[in-house]
Short mmCIF file of all heavy atoms in Angstrom, two decimals:
data_model
loop_
_atom_site.label_atom_id
_atom_site.label_comp_id
_atom_site.label_asym_id
_atom_site.label_seq_id
_atom_site.Cartn_x
_atom_site.Cartn_y
_atom_site.Cartn_z
N PRO A 48 153.05 82.46 107.16
CA PRO A 48 152.05 81.44 106.85
C PRO A 48 152.63 80.34 105.86
O PRO A 48 153.68 80.76 105.24
CB PRO A 48 151.04 82.38 105.90
CG PRO A 48 151.31 83.74 106.42
CD PRO A 48 152.70 83.77 106.88
N PRO A 49 152.20 79.17 105.89
CA PRO A 49 152.83 78.10 105.13
C PRO A 49 153.00 78.35 103.64
O PRO A 49 154.00 78.01 103.07
CB PRO A 49 151.90 77.06 105.23
CG PRO A 49 151.08 77.20 106.49
CD PRO A 49 151.10 78.77 106.61
N GLY A 50 152.15 79.13 103.06
CA GLY A 50 152.32 79.38 101.52
C GLY A 50 153.45 80.32 101.23
O GLY A 50 154.03 80.32 100.05
N ASP A 51 153.97 81.14 102.15
CA ASP A 51 154.97 82.13 101.88
C ASP A 51 156.32 81.47 101.62
O ASP A 51 157.04 81.89 100.86
CB ASP A 51 155.08 83.19 103.05
CG ASP A 51 153.89 84.07 103.08
OD1 ASP A 51 153.09 84.13 102.16
OD2 ASP A 51 153.82 84.82 104.06
N ALA A 52 156.57 80.35 102.32
CA ALA A 52 157.91 79.59 102.12
C ALA A 52 157.92 79.05 100.67
O ALA A 52 159.09 79.07 100.13
CB ALA A 52 157.90 78.45 103.04
N ASP A 53 156.84 78.61 100.07
CA ASP A 53 156.97 78.04 98.68
C ASP A 53 157.30 79.24 97.79
O ASP A 53 158.05 78.90 96.78
CB ASP A 53 155.70 77.47 98.34
CG ASP A 53 155.31 76.22 99.14
OD1 ASP A 53 156.37 75.60 99.67
OD2 ASP A 53 154.16 75.85 99.33
N GLU A 54 156.82 80.43 97.95
CA GLU A 54 157.07 81.51 96.97
C GLU A 54 158.53 81.87 96.92
O GLU A 54 159.19 82.22 96.08
CB GLU A 54 156.22 82.78 97.35
CG GLU A 54 154.69 82.43 97.08
CD GLU A 54 153.90 83.64 97.63
OE1 GLU A 54 154.33 84.63 98.04
OE2 GLU A 54 152.56 83.31 97.72
N ASP A 55 159.18 81.82 98.20
CA ASP A 55 160.55 82.16 98.27
C ASP A 55 161.49 81.11 97.63
O ASP A 55 162.59 81.44 97.20
CB ASP A 55 161.01 82.27 99.75
CG ASP A 55 160.30 83.50 100.35
OD1 ASP A 55 159.83 84.43 99.75
OD2 ASP A 55 160.20 83.57 101.65
N SER A 56 161.03 79.85 97.61
CA SER A 56 161.93 78.93 97.00
C SER A 56 161.87 78.76 95.50
O SER A 56 162.67 78.15 94.86
CB SER A 56 161.67 77.54 97.59
OG SER A 56 160.20 77.10 97.22
N VAL A 57 160.96 79.55 94.84
CA VAL A 57 160.84 79.46 93.43
C VAL A 57 161.80 80.37 92.90
O VAL A 57 161.93 81.51 93.17
CB VAL A 57 159.43 79.89 92.89
CG1 VAL A 57 159.28 80.02 91.48
CG2 VAL A 57 158.32 78.97 93.51
#
Side-chain angles (χ1 to χ4, degrees):
D51 289 353
D53 294 335
E54 293 172 11
D55 292 340
S56 65
V57 175

